Amino acid sequence: MSPKITTELLKQLRQAMKSPKYVQEPVQAYIVPSGDAHQSEYIAPCDCRRAFISGFDGSAGTAIVTEQHAAMWTDGRYFLQAAHQMDNNWTLMKMGLKDTPTQEDWLVSVLPEGSKVGVDPFIIPADQWKRMSKALKSAGHDLVPVKENLIDTIWADCPQRPCKPLITLDLSYTGVSWRDKILALRSKMAERKVLWFVVTALDEVAWLFNLRGSDVEYNPVFFAYAIIGMNTIRLFIDGDRVMDPAVREHLQLDSTLEPEFKIQVVPYGSILTELQAVGTGLSPREKVWLSDKASYALTEAVPKAYRYLTPYTPICIAKAVKNASETDGMRRAHIKDAVALCELFNWLEKEVPKGTVTEIIAADKAEEFRSQQKDFVELSFATISSTGPNGAIIHYKPVPETNRTLSMNEIYLLDSGAQYKDGTTDVTRTMHFGTPSAYEKECFTYVLKGHIAVSAAIFPNGTKGHLLDSFARSALWDCGLDYLHGTGHGVGSFLNVHEGPCGISYKTFADEPLEAGMIVSDEPGYYEDGSFGIRIENVVLVIPAETKYNFKNRGSLTFEPLTLVPIQTKMIDVNLLTQKECNWVNDYHQKCREVIGAELERQGRHEALQWLIRETEPLKVQ
Amino acid sequence: MSPKITTELLKQLRQAMKSPKYVQEPVQAYIVPSGDAHQSEYIAPCDCRRAFISGFDGSAGTAIVTEQHAAMWTDGRYFLQAAHQMDNNWTLMKMGLKDTPTQEDWLVSVLPEGSKVGVDPFIIPADQWKRMSKALKSAGHDLVPVKENLIDTIWADCPQRPCKPLITLDLSYTGVSWRDKILALRSKMAERKVLWFVVTALDEVAWLFNLRGSDVEYNPVFFAYAIIGMNTIRLFIDGDRVMDPAVREHLQLDSTLEPEFKIQVVPYGSILTELQAVGTGLSPREKVWLSDKASYALTEAVPKAYRYLTPYTPICIAKAVKNASETDGMRRAHIKDAVALCELFNWLEKEVPKGTVTEIIAADKAEEFRSQQKDFVELSFATISSTGPNGAIIHYKPVPETNRTLSMNEIYLLDSGAQYKDGTTDVTRTMHFGTPSAYEKECFTYVLKGHIAVSAAIFPNGTKGHLLDSFARSALWDCGLDYLHGTGHGVGSFLNVHEGPCGISYKTFADEPLEAGMIVSDEPGYYEDGSFGIRIENVVLVIPAETKYNFKNRGSLTFEPLTLVPIQTKMIDVNLLTQKECNWVNDYHQKCREVIGAELERQGRHEALQWLIRETEPLKVQ
């Protein structure tokens, strides 16, 4: 992978930063965040501005360009990838390391006195704006909104914003109608005494209306906003997508409805003016509810006195707790996904020794097997198919320049998942097709111990996920090892594979307490730069736990693995496991054998079934 | 313990809240925080305003009185105590429970529209003022400073502010001179480009000048402020304390000094006007550094543009990392403390069967034994000497009305500590003088497993203490049990027994990363209301750990127990321990036997030595 040459582009951007065509006064720095106007993690090609200007196309990163410098902040998952993809014009700022300055501190250290720092007000979340603006102001600088996106002004062949057809989801998938979701939302609004709610996140719009789209790869969402009043519903969406009879029927656009459920369809681009109109019509004590991660532009559209901002919206919190229809769907999706992976791993075991399987071929084969399953829609993220040293690039995606051939001598790490109409999957398995070294087995076993420590943890109702993160690391820490990413993220139900408001991470972000019905991933790892990567990931469902006692009647929770794919026993050093951990592995494999075995049988996939039976043989303590 | 009758006092306070003598406009609510003007946790009698108005005298709590209501917020340590000490005028707000409103939410729910909420601006920290003021404003109310403290206006026999002699500490105790501490502080100020630093916390003033006092019981501090400039030192302190020749010599008040080390002694009460003078003399970019927990009054004295606020001051952070002289002193103090406790427990074992030892007698005896040790100054907090159901009152202090007699049938919990001139101790042991039940042993063993999990934890350099908290709870959680307090707090060096900026807690306060030389407590517990309390507490020193590998060259840390007092093996259900946990207990007891045994021998305390040898017999796995 050779870095993108950005000398010319940076020159053009620096010209735009001074051009009266775009800025009233020159800006001495310009911030290019990752996100789109909805603060999405996964974005459409037209929104990949940070990748365009820098070459670094990982999912998280912020670029800042000054007259002299160009710097990129990203986290531990992407240190290697960013270093590979960016040319010498760029300085990599490794977030999470002790000596890495924050963006604000760095700006203050490099800017001349009284500088202006520009940013697109639609792309920067309001909470980030506030923090950065305050820090800059206290050092004598100013953060200023630049209406025209400066990257767009130099991006000659910028792709069009997508506008693809919608998918309607009936009650058998969603469990709750959009009308009942609106009702529940309005009752939360009444509780907080707000009159309006602005839906800005794409997955929240999709969830609220029981619609899905395909405007963004991997995330079944579509570009839209909504403003929900106590008696009105406005959906901001472009194109003839709402002319589809199925969509009209689903949204009851042509029915005679109580007025409070009548959906007004409004052009996507009119959100700012419509929201400004809502804002000016307010009287005291009439509030507008927005996420504090909504864009600065939309937040500013509502006068400060009328704003009600929260870190998580009631939709985000309701969406995280899956109902019975959703968990049933997630279970079905994970069974199908496991069938595909049994097929894949059986196939790899036969093909790898021939020396013809590359990372890309393996990833394609995984997609092929998944696509054979019922209700398959697309992948849920770019498959991480990595062997040997590529495995240490935490969010690696094979491309022709880096594509390695799987061999009998290297560890292979596959982190992959799919969108099915009934659920979203995300699973990582790490395998060896020959004989792993003692050291590889040792590291794998520490990671496994961490995975089990989280999966089998019992904890009180109301515990926040970040309190479980250290369980995943303890075995690694004991030997001086660690991994530089969080342990788990929320997973959507046929929605984004990463969703809030819960997770398992050492970062003390404001995660919401775990409750039964939430779904998160459990994915500790260990990575050795230049050598190998190990990660073991299941998607797990939060369920009530039975305990011997029940302190203060609080009740306890634990996890049930939804992912049912064998964990390669060849990689385990059984001597490092406790009896309890051994039993966990054996019980897990017994369940894989029963549940996935039955489905493989039903689908007539006999060879994969034999593979499954071999791979789920109980561990024997030596 | 009968509750304080507060009907008449509340009536008087409500009159003061409307009296033009004290308030320009009537206030509909008045907040009475715990603290003093230095935001101290332990306060002088003249500052115990919240206890005076409510009767509740625990170390943490905030009272709010409105025209109709009186409510008290406190945390899990004090639920029972507060309920016992307050009469029916008061509503107890149990912080940490899901349905308990915050003070702001509660105020908004009970106040009539457009209310004024009063508070003493010297008592409320600036960060709390800001949060509360914002919340009230957004609901249409106002937080207003009331200059005259309204409690003082109705407190007829309010005691005088203490003004006791100072103790000077030489280099053998402190390791660093006050001049070098001032130099280090000025270099931190230069790094952040601030010209002035305001020392507001009493332990920070004491640490900076290597002085101690006794104005506040248990905390060897004295009422003072300091303002440090790049070339000036102002110490705000009252009385003839600085006339003491030893103090004058220590502070070099009569020497010819470089002007930047010349200390100007200024009256305590002039801090506000002096700080206002500093604030008005500033030009742009000249900042004044304050803790964001400094009082609202002092913070407001500096114009906003010139304020530099941080959650922890450079003094707080430097003070937390003990140097070699300080850790040596802490070791010595803990050896002496262990000698005293061996004597006490040996004595209790003989006396308890006679039925004559009450909680108060036991506490007094503990103090007597401690006071026999060299350099003993005073206790470091009120001894928690509690048996049976009193043990479930987490911060219980025996008083005649509650005083129980220790018996062969109840668990006894002793949480105690002392100030020695060379260090501060804090230790909890839970014992049974007869035969504990299987259930008591089970609970004790879970708590012990949690204690060991923290004490033996190995973790990367830079880990924050809150990431270790769940280790202490895991064994309890597995059985549905838990405890409603944090696991550990920073401990001062002949200073406050509770100090920041590090700790071990599920609360995600902004704790600073742990580093070698920091000292914290490790004190998980389990409490059953009406039955018993269990807590096992050691003070532990953060030390570098040797590990098999060393990921990213970060280095690892672990803890070394400074407390060396046997953990009663009779209370342990050995079958619930792993081999590793068993070994930990045996190694710990071996060290107690060696180190404390040698000191008992040296002091000629042969009976206590025999007790120590009996109590440190190795555990045998059954």
Side-chain angles (χ1 to χ4, degrees):
Chain A
M1 175 160 45
S2 56
K4 174 164 182 170
I5 305 304
T6 59
T7 310
E8 186 53 34
L9 283 177
L10 287 171
K11 199 174 140 194
Q12 290 172 18
L13 176 59
R14 286 172 177 136
Q15 277 163 358
M17 286 160 58
K18 287 181 281 194
S19 162
K21 225 168 115 186
Y22 309 123
V23 288
Q24 287 186 313
E25 283 184 80
V27 297
Q28 284 70 44
Y30 188 67
I31 306 176
V32 187
S34 284
D36 59 15
H38 305 269
Q39 283 63 55
S40 308
E41 181 189 3
Y42 289 76
I43 52 183
C46 59
D47 288 318
C48 296
R49 300 180 180 97
R50 185 250 305 151
F52 169 76
I53 190 67
S54 69
F56 166 53
D57 66 1
S59 73
T62 298
I64 303 185
V65 176
T66 69
E67 284 157 346
Q68 307 289 337
H69 306 274
M72 175 69 67
W73 280 258
T74 190
D75 62 65
R77 296 174 300 176
Y78 292 117
F79 291 168
L80 290 178
Q81 179 180 336
H84 284 153
Q85 293 184 322
M86 300 192 304
D87 70 9
N88 287 337
N89 289 300
W90 291 85
T91 307
L92 178 58
M93 298 293 188
K94 298 182 174 182
M95 288 164 70
L97 298 197
K98 209 181 157 188
D99 295 328
T100 304
T102 64
Q103 293 161 26
E104 297 89 325
D105 285 349
W106 180 80
L107 278 168
V108 170
S109 74
V110 302
L111 286 178
E113 279 198 33
S115 287
K116 297 211 178 299
V117 178
V119 67
D120 180 340
F122 264 100
I123 304 299
I124 188 168
D127 59 346
Q128 275 180 37
W129 172 284
K130 196 175 161 184
R131 199 181 57 235
M132 180 156 283
S133 173
K134 198 177 159 185
L136 291 176
K137 197 161 282 172
S138 85
H141 308 295
D142 262 323
L143 186 62
V144 297
V146 179
K147 263 195 184 165
E148 187 117 19
N149 190 294
L150 296 187
I151 302 298
D152 294 356
T153 68
I154 61 169
W155 194 351
D157 51 352
C158 176
Q160 280 270 305
R161 184 162 301 279
C163 192
K164 307 234 180 93
L166 302 178
I167 303 167
T168 61
L169 287 184
D170 66 34
L171 269 184
S172 69
Y173 291 106
T174 66
V176 180
S177 69
W178 64 259
R179 285 176 61 132
D180 285 343
K181 288 180 178 179
I182 296 268
L183 272 178
L185 173 61
R186 285 184 177 144
S187 106
K188 290 278 173 199
M189 290 160 61
E191 258 175 39
R192 308 288 185 106
K193 295 178 187 161
V194 304
L195 284 191
W196 301 93
F197 183 85
V198 188
V199 196
T200 55
L202 297 184
D203 63 335
E204 297 192 14
V205 180
W207 180 86
L208 183 61
F209 292 101
N210 291 335
L211 290 172
R212 298 293 185 268
S214 53
D215 288 355
V216 179
E217 199 181 6
Y218 308 125
N219 288 181
V221 296
F222 50 94
F223 284 102
Y225 292 101
I227 300 180
I228 311 300
M230 293 311 278
N231 299 300
T232 58
I233 304 171
R234 263 174 280 186
L235 177 61
F236 297 78
I237 187 166
D238 271 351
D240 46 13
R241 308 197 259 199
V242 289
M243 299 311 291
D244 175 344
V247 173
R248 298 195 74 77
E249 165 75 25
H250 175 84
L251 295 177
Q252 299 182 265
L253 292 179
D254 305 311
S255 320
T256 338
L257 273 179
E258 309 93 298
E260 67 267 31
F261 292 112
K262 192 84 200 154
I263 298 174
Q264 300 163 251
V265 177
V266 196
Y268 176 73
S270 63
I271 179 73
L272 191 62
T273 47
E274 290 269 346
L275 186 55
Q276 281 164 339
V278 163
T280 50
L282 295 173
S283 62
R285 292 213 167 207
E286 294 185 339
K287 299 264 179 194
V288 180
W289 194 345
L290 286 141
S291 162
D292 67 1
K293 277 159 227 51
S295 70
Y296 175 72
L298 291 191
T299 308
E300 279 294 301
V302 180
K304 198 169 176 189
Y306 303 127
R307 269 179 232 158
Y308 181 76
L309 305 182
T310 56
Y312 294 110
T313 70
I315 298 183
C316 175
I317 292 168
K319 176 165 61 64
V321 183
K322 274 68 178 174
N323 60 42
S325 307
E326 289 170 322
T327 49
D328 285 354
M330 286 292 267
R331 271 184 232 280
R332 286 196 306 273
H334 280 83
I335 291 169
K336 293 182 286 189
D337 211 55
V339 165
L341 285 187
C342 289
E343 283 282 13
L344 175 76
F345 291 137
N346 176 52
W347 181 84
L348 284 177
E349 273 192 8
K350 289 184 302 178
E351 299 297 321
V352 168
K354 301 179 189 163
T356 53
V357 183
T358 64
E359 294 167 341
I360 294 178
I361 289 172
D364 290 347
K365 200 72 189 174
E367 181 164 5
E368 182 189 324
F369 283 123
R370 283 189 162 106
S371 68
Q372 294 165 2
Q373 295 297 314
K374 193 184 160 213
D375 274 349
F376 171 85
V377 179
E378 61 171 334
L379 298 186
S380 56
F381 58 96
T383 297
I384 300 171
S385 169
S386 55
T387 187
N390 288 342
I393 304 173
I394 297 177
H395 271 205
Y396 173 79
K397 180 191 162 183
V399 289
E401 300 82 42
T402 63
N403 195 19
R404 284 176 82 86
T405 300
L406 277 62
S407 87
M408 309 283 284
N409 307 316
E410 285 183 347
I411 289 181
Y412 176 63
L413 184 159
L414 179 75
D415 185 351
S416 61
Q419 298 287 0
Y420 301 90
K421 244 183 118 174
D422 41 13
T424 303
T425 66
D426 181 359
V427 47
T428 309
R429 287 296 179 267
T430 304
M431 322 198 80
H432 203 292
F433 299 103
T435 305
S437 73
Y439 178 61
E440 288 167 339
K441 287 172 69 173
E442 183 186 357
C443 295
F444 183 92
T445 308
Y446 296 146
V447 174
L448 176 61
K449 286 166 85 80
H451 179 92
I452 296 171
V454 170
S455 195
I458 294 173
F459 48 91
N461 240 318
T463 300
K464 293 182 170 194
H466 69 257
L467 291 171
L468 308 180
D469 184 74
S470 299
F471 290 155
R473 297 176 201 272
S474 182
L476 288 162
W477 282 357
D478 278 345
C479 293
L481 303 180
D482 197 6
Y483 54 96
L484 297 181
H485 60 73
T487 301
H489 52 81
V491 179
S493 179
F494 184 29
L495 256 181
N496 296 359
V497 73
H498 295 164
E499 69 169 26
C502 52
I504 302 174
S505 178
Y506 58 97
K507 295 168 199 154
T508 49
F509 64 103
D511 54 341
E512 287 288 307
L514 293 171
E515 55 178 294
M518 285 179 165
I519 292 178
V520 296
S521 69
D522 170 15
E523 48 178 316
Y526 175 67
Y527 310 92
E528 210 152 281
D529 288 356
S531 301
F532 62 84
I534 292 167
R535 186 160 63 252
I536 303 172
E537 175 185 24
N538 281 350
V539 169
V540 296
L541 171 68
V542 183
I543 57 168
E546 290 298 318
T547 51
K548 188 170 177 188
Y549 308 111
N550 187 6
F551 180 65
K552 302 263 179 205
N553 248 323
R554 281 192 302 181
S556 293
L557 299 171
T558 187
F559 297 110
E560 175 199 329
L562 295 178
T563 305
L564 292 173
V565 177
I567 295 164
Q568 198 179 37
T569 51
K570 185 203 283 184
M571 286 292 291
I572 301 175
D573 181 346
V574 182
N575 297 311
L576 296 176
L577 294 186
T578 64
Q579 189 57 53
K580 214 175 133 188
E581 289 163 342
C582 245
N583 294 345
W584 186 93
V585 172
N586 290 340
D587 292 349
Y588 178 72
H589 278 157
Q590 180 61 28
K591 191 169 177 194
C592 291
R593 195 184 270 198
E594 284 169 16
V595 177
I596 308 307
E599 181 66 15
L600 284 166
E601 184 75 51
R602 207 188 58 77
Q603 294 193 18
R605 296 175 182 268
H606 299 295
E607 205 180 302
L609 177 58
Q610 289 315 308
W611 178 87
L612 172 72
I613 289 169
R614 277 200 310 279
E615 289 293 308
T616 51
E617 276 297 312
L619 290 177
K620 282 180 202 84
V621 187
Q622 283 148 356
Chain B
M1 174 161 46
S2 54
K4 174 165 182 169
I5 303 305
T6 59
T7 311
E8 184 55 33
L9 283 177
L10 287 170
K11 200 174 138 194
Q12 290 173 17
L13 176 59
R14 285 172 179 135
Q15 277 164 356
M17 285 160 58
K18 288 182 282 194
S19 162
K21 224 168 116 187
Y22 309 122
V23 289
Q24 287 185 311
E25 282 185 81
V27 297
Q28 284 69 46
Y30 188 67
I31 305 176
V32 187
S34 285
D36 58 17
H38 305 269
Q39 284 62 56
S40 309
E41 181 189 4
Y42 289 76
I43 51 182
C46 59
D47 287 318
C48 296
R49 300 179 180 96
R50 184 251 303 151
F52 170 76
I53 191 69
S54 70
F56 166 53
D57 65 1
S59 75
T62 299
I64 303 185
V65 176
T66 69
E67 283 157 347
Q68 306 289 335
H69 306 274
M72 175 69 67
W73 280 258
T74 191
D75 62 64
R77 297 173 298 176
Y78 292 116
F79 291 168
L80 290 177
Q81 178 180 336
H84 285 153
Q85 294 185 320
M86 300 193 303
D87 70 7
N88 287 336
N89 289 301
W90 291 85
T91 306
L92 177 59
M93 298 293 188
K94 297 182 175 183
M95 288 164 69
L97 299 196
K98 210 181 157 188
D99 296 328
T100 303
T102 63
Q103 293 162 25
E104 297 88 324
D105 285 349
W106 180 80
L107 278 168
V108 170
S109 74
V110 302
L111 287 178
E113 278 197 34
S115 286
K116 296 209 177 303
V117 178
V119 67
D120 180 341
F122 264 100
I123 305 299
I124 188 168
D127 60 344
Q128 276 181 36
W129 171 285
K130 196 174 161 185
R131 200 181 56 234
M132 181 156 283
S133 174
K134 198 176 158 184
L136 291 175
K137 196 161 281 173
S138 84
H141 308 295
D142 263 323
L143 186 63
V144 297
V146 179
K147 263 196 184 163
E148 187 120 18
N149 190 293
L150 296 187
I151 301 297
D152 294 355
T153 69
I154 62 168
W155 194 351
D157 51 352
C158 176
Q160 281 270 307
R161 183 162 302 279
C163 191
K164 306 235 180 92
L166 301 179
I167 303 167
T168 61
L169 287 184
D170 65 34
L171 269 184
S172 69
Y173 292 106
T174 66
V176 181
S177 69
W178 64 259
R179 285 176 60 130
D180 287 342
K181 288 180 179 180
I182 295 268
L183 272 178
L185 174 61
R186 284 185 177 143
S187 107
K188 291 278 172 197
M189 289 161 62
E191 259 176 39
R192 310 287 185 106
K193 295 176 187 161
V194 304
L195 284 191
W196 300 92
F197 183 85
V198 188
V199 197
T200 56
L202 297 184
D203 62 336
E204 297 191 15
V205 181
W207 180 86
L208 183 62
F209 292 101
N210 291 335
L211 290 172
R212 298 294 185 268
S214 53
D215 288 354
V216 178
E217 199 180 6
Y218 308 126
N219 288 181
V221 296
F222 51 93
F223 285 101
Y225 292 102
I227 301 181
I228 313 300
M230 294 310 278
N231 298 300
T232 57
I233 304 171
R234 263 173 281 186
L235 176 61
F236 297 78
I237 188 166
D238 272 351
D240 44 13
R241 306 197 261 199
V242 289
M243 299 312 290
D244 175 344
V247 173
R248 297 195 75 77
E249 165 75 25
H250 175 83
L251 295 178
Q252 299 181 265
L253 292 180
D254 305 310
S255 319
T256 336
L257 273 179
E258 310 93 298
E260 66 267 32
F261 292 112
K262 192 85 199 152
I263 298 176
Q264 301 163 250
V265 178
V266 196
Y268 176 73
S270 63
I271 178 74
L272 190 63
T273 47
E274 290 270 346
L275 186 55
Q276 280 164 341
V278 163
T280 49
L282 296 174
S283 62
R285 293 213 165 205
E286 294 184 338
K287 300 264 179 193
V288 180
W289 195 344
L290 286 141
S291 163
D292 67 0
K293 278 159 226 49
S295 70
Y296 175 73
L298 290 191
T299 308
E300 279 295 300
V302 179
K304 199 170 174 187
Y306 303 126
R307 269 178 233 159
Y308 181 76
L309 304 182
T310 56
Y312 294 111
T313 70
I315 297 182
C316 175
I317 293 168
K319 175 165 63 64
V321 183
K322 274 69 178 173
N323 59 43
S325 306
E326 289 170 322
T327 49
D328 285 353
M330 286 293 266
R331 271 185 233 280
R332 286 197 305 273
H334 280 83
I335 291 171
K336 293 181 285 188
D337 211 55
V339 164
L341 285 187
C342 289
E343 283 281 13
L344 175 76
F345 291 137
N346 175 53
W347 181 84
L348 284 177
E349 273 191 9
K350 289 184 303 179
E351 299 298 320
V352 168
K354 301 178 187 163
T356 52
V357 182
T358 64
E359 294 167 340
I360 294 178
I361 289 172
D364 290 347
K365 200 74 191 174
E367 183 165 2
E368 182 189 323
F369 283 123
R370 283 190 162 106
S371 68
Q372 294 165 3
Q373 295 298 315
K374 193 185 161 214
D375 274 348
F376 171 85
V377 178
E378 61 171 333
L379 298 186
S380 57
F381 57 96
T383 298
I384 300 173
S385 170
S386 55
T387 186
N390 288 342
I393 304 173
I394 297 177
H395 271 206
Y396 174 79
K397 179 191 163 182
V399 288
E401 300 81 38
T402 62
N403 194 18
R404 283 176 82 85
T405 301
L406 277 62
S407 86
M408 309 282 285
N409 308 313
E410 285 183 348
I411 288 181
Y412 176 63
L413 185 160
L414 180 77
D415 185 351
S416 61
Q419 299 288 359
Y420 302 90
K421 242 183 122 176
D422 41 12
T424 303
T425 66
D426 181 0
V427 46
T428 310
R429 288 296 179 267
T430 305
M431 321 198 81
H432 204 292
F433 298 104
T435 305
S437 73
Y439 178 61
E440 288 167 339
K441 288 172 68 173
E442 184 187 357
C443 295
F444 183 92
T445 308
Y446 296 146
V447 173
L448 176 62
K449 286 167 84 79
H451 179 91
I452 296 171
V454 170
S455 195
I458 294 172
F459 48 92
N461 241 317
T463 300
K464 293 183 170 193
H466 69 257
L467 292 171
L468 308 180
D469 184 75
S470 298
F471 290 155
R473 298 176 201 274
S474 181
L476 288 162
W477 282 357
D478 278 346
C479 292
L481 303 181
D482 198 5
Y483 54 95
L484 297 181
H485 60 73
T487 300
H489 53 80
V491 178
S493 179
F494 183 29
L495 256 181
N496 296 359
V497 73
H498 295 164
E499 70 169 25
C502 54
I504 302 174
S505 177
Y506 60 96
K507 294 170 200 152
T508 49
F509 65 103
D511 53 342
E512 287 289 307
L514 292 171
E515 55 179 294
M518 286 181 165
I519 293 179
V520 295
S521 69
D522 170 14
E523 48 179 315
Y526 176 67
Y527 311 91
E528 211 152 281
D529 288 355
S531 302
F532 62 83
I534 292 167
R535 185 159 64 251
I536 303 172
E537 176 187 23
N538 281 351
V539 168
V540 295
L541 171 68
V542 182
I543 57 168
E546 289 299 317
T547 52
K548 189 169 176 188
Y549 307 112
N550 187 7
F551 180 65
K552 302 263 180 207
N553 249 324
R554 281 193 301 181
S556 294
L557 299 172
T558 186
F559 297 111
E560 175 199 328
L562 295 179
T563 305
L564 292 172
V565 177
I567 294 165
Q568 200 180 36
T569 50
K570 186 204 282 185
M571 286 292 290
I572 300 174
D573 181 345
V574 182
N575 297 310
L576 296 176
L577 294 186
T578 64
Q579 188 58 53
K580 213 175 131 188
E581 289 163 342
C582 247
N583 294 345
W584 186 94
V585 172
N586 289 340
D587 292 348
Y588 179 72
H589 278 157
Q590 180 60 29
K591 190 169 176 194
C592 291
R593 196 184 268 196
E594 284 168 16
V595 177
I596 309 306
E599 180 66 15
L600 284 166
E601 185 75 52
R602 206 188 59 76
Q603 294 193 16
R605 298 174 183 271
H606 299 296
E607 205 181 301
L609 177 58
Q610 288 316 307
W611 178 88
L612 172 71
I613 289 168
R614 276 200 312 277
E615 287 295 307
T616 51
E617 277 297 312
L619 288 177
K620 281 179 203 86
V621 187
Q622 283 150 356

